[in-house]
Amino acid sequence: MSSMLRGIKSKSHLSLASSGPSLEDTLNKMKDRLDGVEQQLAELASQQDLEEGLAAQARAVDDKFGALTEKMEDELNHLSMRQTDELLALRKENEGSLKG
């Protein structure tokens, strides 16, 4: 009877082992998945580096635009004051010529 049980156990062990994937196959699949995850992480890191680079460029452009805008406003203010001074001088001339 015990020899019969041993025979059943060994047959069931063989049938379980042959019915599923081998340990090596499972490990290879897990390694392939891990390689895929590592590749995705590398792509994400590369994308993040690109995004950070673009953000730095955008900040630099914004800073340059801000400085240029400020310079243009200063120049416009200066021109406006000069024109105002010229108009006042012309007004004084006209008032003087009307009196005289």
XYZ file of all heavy atoms in Angstrom:
764
model
N 0.823 -1.177 0.000
C 0.000 0.000 0.000
C 0.876 1.253 0.000
O 0.582 2.187 -0.718
C -0.888 -0.042 1.239
C -1.784 1.116 1.353
S -3.323 0.618 0.656
C -4.384 1.784 1.279
N 1.924 1.307 0.847
C 2.791 2.470 0.896
C 3.536 2.647 -0.429
O 3.776 3.760 -0.858
C 3.755 2.401 2.073
O 4.700 1.374 1.867
N 3.889 1.579 -1.077
C 4.551 1.689 -2.373
C 3.577 2.270 -3.407
O 3.956 3.019 -4.286
C 5.111 0.355 -2.836
O 4.048 -0.539 -3.086
N 2.339 1.948 -3.220
C 1.310 2.468 -4.110
C 1.131 3.978 -3.895
O 1.006 4.744 -4.837
C -0.002 1.746 -3.835
C -1.056 1.947 -4.821
S -2.364 0.903 -4.202
C -3.396 0.836 -5.546
N 1.165 4.430 -2.622
C 1.058 5.855 -2.307
C 2.265 6.623 -2.845
O 2.130 7.725 -3.366
C 0.939 6.069 -0.801
C -0.403 5.721 -0.169
C -0.315 5.854 1.331
C -1.478 6.620 -0.714
N 3.437 5.999 -2.701
C 4.634 6.662 -3.233
C 4.537 6.823 -4.743
O 4.913 7.847 -5.288
C 5.889 5.855 -2.892
C 6.441 6.230 -1.541
C 7.756 5.557 -1.273
N 7.439 4.447 -0.371
C 8.017 3.282 -0.331
N 9.017 3.022 -1.140
N 7.665 2.356 0.504
N 4.019 5.887 -5.397
C 3.845 5.948 -6.849
C 2.871 7.047 -7.235
O 3.083 7.782 -8.197
N 1.783 7.203 -6.460
C 0.796 8.250 -6.734
C 1.422 9.625 -6.482
O 1.258 10.550 -7.268
C -0.466 8.049 -5.876
C -1.191 6.785 -6.320
C -1.374 9.251 -5.934
C -2.340 6.389 -5.427
N 2.165 9.739 -5.369
C 2.819 11.015 -5.054
C 3.801 11.410 -6.158
O 3.834 12.548 -6.589
C 3.555 10.936 -3.719
C 2.680 11.073 -2.520
C 3.532 11.096 -1.282
C 2.686 11.238 -0.036
N 3.499 11.247 1.168
N 4.625 10.487 -6.594
C 5.619 10.816 -7.610
C 4.928 11.149 -8.942
O 5.359 12.038 -9.656
C 6.629 9.695 -7.789
O 5.991 8.546 -8.287
N 3.833 10.472 -9.248
C 3.108 10.776 -10.485
C 2.453 12.156 -10.397
O 2.478 12.918 -11.348
C 2.053 9.706 -10.767
C 2.622 8.425 -11.278
C 1.527 7.436 -11.566
C 2.107 6.089 -11.959
N 1.072 5.097 -12.152
N 1.874 12.478 -9.239
C 1.232 13.783 -9.102
C 2.280 14.891 -9.127
O 2.053 15.970 -9.660
C 0.385 13.847 -7.836
O 1.208 13.775 -6.701
N 3.444 14.630 -8.534
C 4.526 15.627 -8.554
C 4.971 15.865 -9.993
O 5.162 17.005 -10.406
C 5.691 15.132 -7.690
C 6.867 16.060 -7.706
N 6.836 17.318 -7.139
C 8.111 15.916 -8.246
C 7.995 17.905 -7.324
N 8.789 17.069 -7.990
N 5.109 14.836 -10.757
C 5.523 14.964 -12.152
C 4.459 15.706 -12.966
O 4.772 16.557 -13.785
C 5.784 13.585 -12.768
C 7.054 12.878 -12.291
C 7.115 11.476 -12.900
C 8.284 13.670 -12.691
N 3.206 15.391 -12.691
C 2.154 16.032 -13.472
C 2.063 17.527 -13.126
O 1.794 18.345 -13.989
C 0.813 15.338 -13.265
O 0.381 15.506 -11.932
N 2.298 17.904 -11.867
C 2.287 19.317 -11.489
C 3.466 20.053 -12.122
O 3.318 21.160 -12.615
C 2.340 19.470 -9.966
C 1.058 19.174 -9.202
C 1.325 19.271 -7.709
C -0.046 20.121 -9.601
N 4.613 19.402 -12.098
C 5.800 20.040 -12.632
C 5.688 20.222 -14.138
O 6.127 21.225 -14.682
C 7.030 19.223 -12.285
N 5.110 19.285 -14.817
C 5.040 19.379 -16.267
C 3.849 20.216 -16.732
O 3.819 20.658 -17.856
C 4.981 17.977 -16.880
O 3.797 17.346 -16.442
N 2.861 20.446 -15.863
C 1.680 21.179 -16.301
C 1.886 22.692 -16.275
O 1.253 23.413 -17.017
C 0.471 20.817 -15.436
O 0.648 21.303 -14.119
N 2.766 23.221 -15.456
C 2.980 24.663 -15.344
C 4.310 25.054 -15.950
O 5.103 24.213 -16.345
N 4.554 26.371 -16.010
C 5.840 26.830 -16.543
C 6.962 26.463 -15.579
O 6.759 26.379 -14.371
C 5.672 28.346 -16.646
C 4.567 28.693 -15.707
C 3.690 27.474 -15.622
N 8.116 26.272 -16.140
C 9.253 25.920 -15.288
C 9.695 27.163 -14.520
O 9.365 28.290 -14.869
C 10.407 25.380 -16.141
O 10.982 26.435 -16.881
N 10.423 26.916 -13.469
C 10.946 28.006 -12.653
C 11.841 28.908 -13.498
O 11.800 30.132 -13.390
C 11.712 27.437 -11.459
C 12.298 28.453 -10.486
C 11.201 29.334 -9.920
C 13.035 27.738 -9.376
N 12.608 28.314 -14.378
C 13.495 29.098 -15.249
C 12.678 30.003 -16.176
O 13.014 31.169 -16.373
C 14.383 28.154 -16.066
C 15.428 28.884 -16.876
C 16.365 27.925 -17.599
O 16.417 26.732 -17.268
O 17.047 28.427 -18.510
N 11.579 29.463 -16.735
C 10.714 30.278 -17.591
C 10.113 31.444 -16.810
O 10.057 32.580 -17.299
C 9.581 29.429 -18.193
C 10.085 28.435 -19.227
O 11.208 28.624 -19.743
O 9.337 27.478 -19.519
N 9.677 31.155 -15.608
C 9.089 32.200 -14.761
C 10.118 33.275 -14.450
O 9.835 34.470 -14.533
C 8.539 31.587 -13.461
O 7.573 30.581 -13.790
C 7.898 32.635 -12.587
N 11.337 32.852 -14.101
C 12.405 33.810 -13.816
C 12.753 34.640 -15.054
O 12.984 35.846 -14.950
C 13.640 33.095 -13.284
C 13.517 32.522 -11.867
C 14.770 31.711 -11.529
C 13.314 33.632 -10.867
N 12.775 33.999 -16.216
C 13.071 34.729 -17.454
C 11.983 35.766 -17.754
O 12.285 36.883 -18.186
C 13.218 33.766 -18.633
C 14.541 33.023 -18.593
O 15.514 33.511 -18.014
N 14.576 31.849 -19.193
N 10.727 35.410 -17.524
C 9.629 36.349 -17.738
C 9.736 37.530 -16.771
O 9.525 38.682 -17.148
C 8.280 35.656 -17.571
C 7.914 34.763 -18.730
C 6.563 34.107 -18.509
C 6.266 33.123 -19.623
N 4.990 32.440 -19.425
N 10.078 37.219 -15.528
C 10.230 38.288 -14.537
C 11.400 39.198 -14.911
O 11.318 40.419 -14.792
C 10.430 37.692 -13.141
C 9.169 37.031 -12.599
S 9.445 36.194 -11.033
C 9.616 37.590 -9.949
N 12.487 38.607 -15.409
C 13.639 39.394 -15.841
C 13.254 40.280 -17.016
O 13.626 41.451 -17.068
C 14.791 38.476 -16.222
C 16.065 39.225 -16.593
C 17.148 38.252 -17.050
C 18.382 38.968 -17.498
N 18.205 39.913 -18.562
N 12.503 39.734 -17.967
C 12.059 40.536 -19.110
C 11.182 41.698 -18.652
O 11.311 42.821 -19.151
C 11.287 39.665 -20.107
C 12.185 38.666 -20.824
O 13.420 38.847 -20.806
O 11.638 37.705 -21.406
N 10.291 41.447 -17.715
C 9.442 42.521 -17.188
C 10.285 43.583 -16.489
O 10.055 44.776 -16.635
C 8.408 41.965 -16.218
C 7.276 41.246 -16.903
C 6.246 40.807 -15.907
N 5.212 40.026 -16.547
C 4.304 39.330 -15.911
N 4.306 39.306 -14.584
N 3.391 38.655 -16.562
N 11.259 43.134 -15.705
C 12.150 44.063 -15.008
C 12.941 44.904 -16.010
O 13.088 46.110 -15.835
C 13.100 43.299 -14.081
C 14.054 44.137 -13.258
C 13.282 45.075 -12.334
C 14.967 43.242 -12.434
N 13.419 44.269 -17.074
C 14.124 45.006 -18.131
C 13.202 46.050 -18.751
O 13.628 47.176 -19.025
C 14.641 44.054 -19.216
C 15.794 43.176 -18.737
O 16.406 43.504 -17.700
O 16.076 42.165 -19.417
N 11.939 45.692 -18.957
C 10.964 46.631 -19.519
C 10.719 47.803 -18.585
O 10.640 48.954 -19.023
N 10.616 47.520 -17.303
C 10.403 48.588 -16.311
C 11.630 49.496 -16.260
O 11.502 50.724 -16.213
C 10.099 47.987 -14.920
C 10.162 49.050 -13.834
C 8.726 47.313 -14.927
N 12.823 48.914 -16.294
C 14.042 49.725 -16.295
C 14.103 50.613 -17.527
O 14.497 51.779 -17.450
C 15.278 48.825 -16.220
C 15.479 48.187 -14.863
C 16.627 47.193 -14.828
O 17.090 46.759 -15.917
O 17.063 46.840 -13.735
N 13.694 50.090 -18.682
C 13.668 50.875 -19.924
C 12.686 52.033 -19.794
O 12.983 53.159 -20.172
C 13.289 49.981 -21.115
C 13.172 50.715 -22.427
C 14.495 51.287 -22.905
O 15.543 50.723 -22.665
N 14.432 52.420 -23.583
N 11.510 51.770 -19.230
C 10.515 52.832 -19.037
C 11.037 53.905 -18.087
O 10.839 55.103 -18.319
C 9.210 52.250 -18.502
C 8.425 51.465 -19.525
C 7.181 50.825 -18.928
O 7.088 50.631 -17.722
N 6.222 50.494 -19.781
N 11.712 53.479 -17.028
C 12.299 54.448 -16.089
C 13.357 55.312 -16.771
O 13.427 56.518 -16.542
C 12.891 53.725 -14.878
C 11.890 53.170 -13.877
C 12.615 52.335 -12.814
C 11.096 54.278 -13.223
N 14.168 54.690 -17.608
C 15.193 55.445 -18.333
C 14.539 56.452 -19.274
O 14.993 57.595 -19.388
C 16.101 54.490 -19.109
N 13.464 56.044 -19.953
C 12.750 56.953 -20.856
C 12.114 58.102 -20.076
O 12.157 59.255 -20.515
C 11.691 56.191 -21.644
C 12.269 55.250 -22.687
C 11.227 54.330 -23.303
O 10.022 54.475 -22.995
O 11.615 53.470 -24.104
N 11.537 57.794 -18.922
C 10.943 58.845 -18.100
C 12.000 59.823 -17.594
O 11.774 61.035 -17.574
C 10.181 58.230 -16.919
C 8.854 57.563 -17.253
C 8.304 56.847 -16.016
C 7.850 58.573 -17.759
N 13.141 59.299 -17.196
C 14.227 60.170 -16.722
C 14.706 61.071 -17.855
O 14.945 62.265 -17.654
C 15.379 59.326 -16.173
N 14.812 60.510 -19.053
C 15.227 61.296 -20.215
C 14.193 62.369 -20.528
O 14.534 63.515 -20.807
C 15.415 60.371 -21.420
O 15.709 61.122 -22.569
N 12.928 61.991 -20.461
C 11.847 62.954 -20.707
C 11.859 64.057 -19.644
O 11.684 65.233 -19.956
C 10.495 62.242 -20.704
C 9.333 63.153 -21.008
C 8.010 62.418 -21.034
O 7.944 61.214 -20.873
N 6.949 63.151 -21.235
N 12.104 63.687 -18.406
C 12.161 64.677 -17.327
C 13.332 65.636 -17.553
O 13.205 66.839 -17.353
C 12.282 63.998 -15.972
C 12.236 64.970 -14.809
C 12.281 64.278 -13.459
O 12.473 63.078 -13.369
N 12.105 65.047 -12.416
N 14.468 65.100 -17.998
C 15.620 65.960 -18.294
C 15.269 66.952 -19.400
O 15.615 68.131 -19.316
C 16.835 65.126 -18.713
C 17.448 64.344 -17.565
O 17.127 64.647 -16.394
O 18.240 63.422 -17.842
N 14.570 66.462 -20.440
C 14.158 67.354 -21.526
C 13.197 68.427 -21.025
O 13.324 69.601 -21.369
C 13.487 66.545 -22.643
C 14.399 65.667 -23.491
C 13.568 64.815 -24.453
C 15.381 66.521 -24.271
N 12.239 68.020 -20.200
C 11.269 68.973 -19.668
C 11.949 70.024 -18.794
O 11.619 71.210 -18.867
C 10.175 68.244 -18.878
C 9.236 67.441 -19.755
C 8.256 66.578 -18.967
O 8.356 66.516 -17.724
O 7.398 65.951 -19.603
N 12.905 69.596 -17.982
C 13.631 70.543 -17.137
C 14.457 71.499 -17.985
O 14.546 72.695 -17.694
C 14.512 69.793 -16.137
C 13.730 69.112 -15.041
C 14.575 68.224 -14.143
O 15.805 68.094 -14.385
O 14.020 67.649 -13.192
N 15.054 70.986 -19.061
C 15.818 71.833 -19.973
C 14.927 72.857 -20.658
O 15.287 74.032 -20.782
N 13.750 72.404 -21.101
C 12.806 73.323 -21.738
C 12.301 74.371 -20.757
O 12.149 75.546 -21.111
C 11.625 72.549 -22.332
C 11.940 71.719 -23.579
C 10.729 70.876 -23.974
C 12.360 72.606 -24.736
N 12.062 73.959 -19.527
C 11.602 74.905 -18.507
C 12.689 75.958 -18.238
O 12.386 77.143 -18.093
C 11.232 74.170 -17.218
N 13.943 75.532 -18.198
C 15.047 76.478 -17.982
C 15.150 77.456 -19.155
O 15.355 78.657 -18.948
C 16.365 75.720 -17.800
N 14.974 76.937 -20.373
C 15.001 77.812 -21.548
C 13.838 78.794 -21.513
O 14.002 79.977 -21.844
C 14.950 76.998 -22.834
C 16.235 76.256 -23.137
C 16.131 75.410 -24.387
O 15.066 75.243 -24.959
N 17.257 74.865 -24.818
N 12.673 78.321 -21.110
C 11.502 79.203 -21.029
C 11.731 80.305 -19.998
O 11.374 81.469 -20.235
C 10.253 78.385 -20.684
N 12.327 79.962 -18.869
C 12.635 80.981 -17.848
C 13.629 82.001 -18.391
O 13.496 83.208 -18.165
C 13.174 80.328 -16.573
C 12.104 79.640 -15.733
C 12.646 79.207 -14.379
N 13.742 78.262 -14.462
C 13.616 76.946 -14.560
N 12.413 76.414 -14.559
N 14.662 76.160 -14.628
N 14.629 81.535 -19.130
C 15.634 82.443 -19.696
C 14.986 83.391 -20.713
O 15.263 84.592 -20.710
C 16.765 81.649 -20.352
N 14.114 82.859 -21.552
C 13.418 83.693 -22.529
C 12.524 84.697 -21.808
O 12.477 85.879 -22.177
C 12.591 82.821 -23.508
C 11.619 83.661 -24.324
C 13.521 82.041 -24.428
N 11.835 84.242 -20.794
C 10.967 85.137 -20.022
C 11.775 86.261 -19.371
O 11.357 87.424 -19.383
C 10.203 84.336 -18.965
C 9.109 85.140 -18.296
O 8.337 85.810 -19.012
O 9.036 85.101 -17.051
N 12.930 85.918 -18.816
C 13.797 86.934 -18.198
C 14.267 87.948 -19.240
O 14.257 89.163 -18.986
C 15.008 86.282 -17.522
C 14.632 85.493 -16.274
O 13.494 85.651 -15.782
O 15.479 84.706 -15.810
N 14.684 87.457 -20.408
C 15.148 88.353 -21.467
C 14.001 89.244 -21.955
O 14.190 90.434 -22.203
C 15.735 87.561 -22.626
C 17.089 86.970 -22.323
C 17.636 86.192 -23.495
C 18.975 85.569 -23.151
N 19.503 84.768 -24.266
N 12.827 88.651 -22.111
C 11.672 89.420 -22.551
C 11.317 90.487 -21.527
O 11.020 91.631 -21.886
C 10.475 88.494 -22.792
C 9.259 89.199 -23.300
C 9.184 89.632 -24.610
C 8.180 89.445 -22.461
C 8.069 90.292 -25.078
C 7.054 90.103 -22.914
C 7.002 90.524 -24.240
N 11.369 90.128 -20.255
C 11.091 91.092 -19.191
C 12.079 92.246 -19.205
O 11.691 93.409 -19.084
N 13.354 91.938 -19.381
C 14.383 92.986 -19.419
C 14.194 93.873 -20.645
O 14.312 95.101 -20.565
C 15.773 92.352 -19.430
N 13.878 93.257 -21.777
C 13.663 94.028 -23.001
C 12.427 94.917 -22.875
O 12.452 96.079 -23.289
C 13.514 93.070 -24.187
C 13.456 93.688 -25.569
C 14.730 94.490 -25.843
C 13.276 92.611 -26.618
N 11.374 94.396 -22.294
C 10.153 95.174 -22.085
C 10.426 96.369 -21.181
O 9.983 97.487 -21.455
C 9.047 94.287 -21.473
O 8.786 93.202 -22.362
C 7.773 95.056 -21.230
N 11.171 96.138 -20.119
C 11.514 97.226 -19.193
C 12.349 98.298 -19.904
O 12.112 99.506 -19.735
C 12.288 96.656 -17.999
C 12.525 97.649 -16.886
C 13.191 96.990 -15.689
O 12.815 95.857 -15.327
O 14.090 97.638 -15.125
N 13.290 97.860 -20.727
C 14.125 98.804 -21.473
C 13.266 99.617 -22.444
O 13.445 100.835 -22.570
C 15.210 98.046 -22.226
C 16.185 98.924 -22.954
C 17.271 98.105 -23.622
C 18.226 99.019 -24.369
N 19.300 98.267 -25.006
N 12.342 98.968 -23.121
C 11.457 99.671 -24.053
C 10.563 100.676 -23.329
O 10.358 101.799 -23.809
C 10.602 98.667 -24.836
C 11.384 97.894 -25.885
S 10.446 96.576 -26.710
C 8.955 97.374 -27.185
N 10.047 100.303 -22.176
C 9.220 101.225 -21.387
C 10.023 102.441 -20.949
O 9.538 103.571 -21.019
C 8.637 100.503 -20.168
C 7.545 99.521 -20.503
C 7.096 98.686 -19.302
O 7.754 98.740 -18.241
O 6.092 97.978 -19.447
N 11.257 102.221 -20.523
C 12.123 103.334 -20.131
C 12.370 104.262 -21.315
O 12.333 105.492 -21.182
C 13.460 102.828 -19.575
C 13.328 102.163 -18.223
O 12.269 102.321 -17.573
O 14.290 101.458 -17.815
N 12.633 103.662 -22.467
C 12.890 104.457 -23.670
C 11.645 105.251 -24.078
O 11.741 106.437 -24.433
C 13.324 103.527 -24.812
C 13.924 104.220 -25.999
C 15.238 104.932 -25.699
O 16.000 104.472 -24.829
O 15.494 105.954 -26.352
N 10.471 104.622 -23.998
C 9.227 105.327 -24.321
C 8.973 106.472 -23.354
O 8.545 107.557 -23.765
C 8.042 104.359 -24.317
C 7.927 103.437 -25.530
C 6.828 102.401 -25.297
C 7.651 104.233 -26.788
N 9.226 106.242 -22.078
C 9.073 107.316 -21.080
C 10.018 108.477 -21.384
O 9.634 109.645 -21.307
C 9.316 106.792 -19.666
C 8.172 105.948 -19.161
O 7.048 106.099 -19.613
N 8.464 105.055 -18.235
N 11.242 108.147 -21.748
C 12.225 109.181 -22.067
C 11.766 109.981 -23.294
O 11.825 111.223 -23.302
C 13.591 108.537 -22.312
C 14.647 109.488 -22.740
N 15.210 110.408 -21.886
C 15.243 109.686 -23.952
C 16.102 111.116 -22.544
N 16.137 110.699 -23.803
N 11.312 109.286 -24.335
C 10.832 109.975 -25.537
C 9.614 110.836 -25.230
O 9.489 111.960 -25.725
C 10.493 108.950 -26.633
C 11.672 108.263 -27.305
C 11.175 107.150 -28.230
C 12.521 109.265 -28.073
N 8.734 110.316 -24.419
C 7.528 111.059 -24.051
C 7.887 112.340 -23.304
O 7.326 113.407 -23.584
C 6.623 110.171 -23.196
O 5.486 110.882 -22.794
N 8.830 112.235 -22.387
C 9.250 113.431 -21.630
C 9.915 114.441 -22.568
O 9.688 115.647 -22.469
C 10.201 113.041 -20.490
C 9.496 112.328 -19.354
S 10.474 111.990 -17.857
C 12.081 111.629 -18.437
N 10.723 113.956 -23.509
C 11.395 114.852 -24.452
C 10.371 115.565 -25.346
O 10.467 116.765 -25.583
C 12.396 114.065 -25.298
C 13.367 114.972 -26.043
C 14.459 114.209 -26.701
N 13.902 113.676 -27.946
C 14.469 112.716 -28.664
N 15.582 112.161 -28.239
N 13.931 112.304 -29.777
N 9.373 114.799 -25.813
C 8.331 115.416 -26.638
C 7.529 116.446 -25.839
O 7.188 117.508 -26.355
C 7.390 114.346 -27.204
C 7.991 113.557 -28.337
C 7.026 112.504 -28.862
O 6.083 112.116 -28.186
N 7.278 112.046 -30.078
N 7.261 116.126 -24.586
C 6.538 117.068 -23.728
C 7.346 118.344 -23.565
O 6.810 119.455 -23.678
C 6.238 116.437 -22.355
O 5.471 115.252 -22.547
C 5.483 117.396 -21.459
N 8.625 118.208 -23.332
C 9.501 119.385 -23.201
C 9.514 120.196 -24.494
O 9.458 121.431 -24.460
C 10.929 118.959 -22.833
C 11.042 118.395 -21.426
O 10.092 118.593 -20.620
O 12.068 117.736 -21.128
N 9.577 119.521 -25.640
C 9.583 120.218 -26.930
C 8.258 120.951 -27.161
O 8.244 122.090 -27.654
C 9.851 119.243 -28.075
C 11.284 118.741 -28.111
C 11.495 117.649 -29.158
O 10.545 117.283 -29.886
O 12.632 117.152 -29.246
N 7.148 120.282 -26.789
C 5.840 120.930 -26.947
C 5.715 122.155 -26.043
O 5.176 123.198 -26.453
C 4.711 119.938 -26.661
C 4.460 118.882 -27.728
C 3.433 117.864 -27.219
C 3.990 119.516 -29.029
N 6.210 122.073 -24.836
C 6.180 123.219 -23.926
C 7.022 124.373 -24.472
O 6.631 125.553 -24.383
C 6.649 122.820 -22.526
C 5.689 121.955 -21.715
C 6.365 121.501 -20.414
C 4.402 122.710 -21.421
N 8.167 124.042 -25.040
C 9.032 125.080 -25.617
C 8.336 125.746 -26.801
O 8.371 126.982 -26.949
C 10.357 124.476 -26.047
N 7.670 124.958 -27.653
C 6.936 125.522 -28.788
C 5.785 126.407 -28.316
O 5.513 127.468 -28.889
C 6.395 124.414 -29.694
C 7.406 123.711 -30.588
C 6.740 122.526 -31.285
C 7.988 124.675 -31.614
N 5.138 125.989 -27.270
C 4.020 126.763 -26.712
C 4.516 128.124 -26.218
O 3.882 129.158 -26.453
C 3.358 125.966 -25.586
C 2.153 126.625 -25.006
C 1.533 125.686 -23.999
N 0.393 126.325 -23.376
C -0.268 125.821 -22.372
N 0.101 124.660 -21.869
N -1.294 126.452 -21.864
N 5.647 128.106 -25.526
C 6.217 129.360 -25.027
C 6.582 130.270 -26.200
O 6.369 131.483 -26.145
C 7.439 129.097 -24.160
C 7.112 128.652 -22.775
C 8.383 128.524 -21.965
C 8.057 128.076 -20.562
N 9.260 127.992 -19.724
N 7.154 129.692 -27.252
C 7.505 130.482 -28.442
C 6.270 131.117 -29.064
O 6.265 132.298 -29.419
C 8.183 129.604 -29.499
C 9.634 129.321 -29.271
C 10.219 128.456 -30.383
O 9.800 128.604 -31.564
O 11.101 127.636 -30.062
N 5.211 130.306 -29.187
C 3.963 130.797 -29.771
C 3.350 131.889 -28.910
O 2.872 132.912 -29.419
C 2.948 129.678 -29.981
C 3.301 128.795 -31.148
O 4.068 129.200 -32.016
N 2.751 127.588 -31.156
N 3.364 131.710 -27.610
C 2.818 132.720 -26.699
C 3.639 134.010 -26.796
O 3.091 135.114 -26.774
C 2.786 132.215 -25.256
C 1.735 131.168 -24.991
C 1.804 130.596 -23.582
O 2.755 130.923 -22.820
O 0.930 129.781 -23.239
N 4.946 133.858 -26.923
C 5.826 135.017 -27.048
C 5.599 135.750 -28.351
O 5.608 136.981 -28.397
N 5.392 135.002 -29.435
C 5.195 135.635 -30.735
C 3.823 136.307 -30.829
O 3.649 137.296 -31.522
C 5.369 134.660 -31.874
O 4.362 133.672 -31.825
N 2.825 135.752 -30.090
C 1.498 136.359 -30.082
C 1.515 137.666 -29.317
O 0.796 138.619 -29.653
C 0.463 135.416 -29.486
C 0.086 134.184 -30.321
C -0.846 133.274 -29.518
C -0.572 134.594 -31.612
N 2.299 137.755 -28.267
C 2.389 138.975 -27.439
C 3.184 140.066 -28.171
O 2.927 141.232 -28.005
C 3.043 138.692 -26.095
C 2.169 137.909 -25.168
C 2.905 137.703 -23.846
C 2.075 136.877 -22.904
N 2.771 136.648 -21.655
N 4.145 139.628 -28.893
C 5.060 140.602 -29.438
C 4.704 141.052 -30.779
O 4.371 142.022 -31.252
